[in-house]
Amino acid sequence: MKFPAAIGRVFLGFLASTRRLGMFAAISHSVPPPFYPRPIWRQVADDNLRPSGNVQTPWADTIVPRVKSALLKEQTR
């Protein structure tokens, strides 16, 4: 009877630790993380006040090479 009791003890310990893990997951997902609006707005302001110099438009990758090739054609005429 000692062997089945040992297996049962291990199994019940496993269930207890699984329950603790499940409770932690349920609590951690129900509590929202902290929200810090001031640092977020500072970062937004810094990004907008310091231009990167890169064109951030979706059409820039198609227009810029065409303009460059048109300028090269004009220069070679």
Side-chain angles (χ1 to χ4, degrees):
M1 276 309 230
K2 291 181 181 182
F3 183 71
I7 292 175
R9 216 175 302 118
V10 170
F11 183 69
L12 289 176
F14 170 74
L15 289 179
S17 63
T18 305
R19 178 179 169 264
R20 280 186 241 127
L21 181 63
M23 292 293 287
F24 172 74
I27 291 172
S28 66
H29 285 293
S30 65
V31 177
F35 178 69
Y36 303 106
R38 183 174 289 163
I40 291 172
W41 286 114
R42 280 185 184 165
Q43 184 68 39
V44 168
D46 285 346
D47 288 346
N48 288 333
L49 295 176
R50 295 188 191 128
S52 62
N54 297 334
V55 179
Q56 299 294 327
T57 57
W59 47 267
D61 292 337
T62 58
I63 299 295
V64 172
R66 290 182 182 179
V67 170
K68 285 182 180 178
S69 66
L71 289 174
L72 286 175
K73 286 180 186 176
E74 288 291 325
Q75 288 176 357
T76 56
R77 286 186 185 179

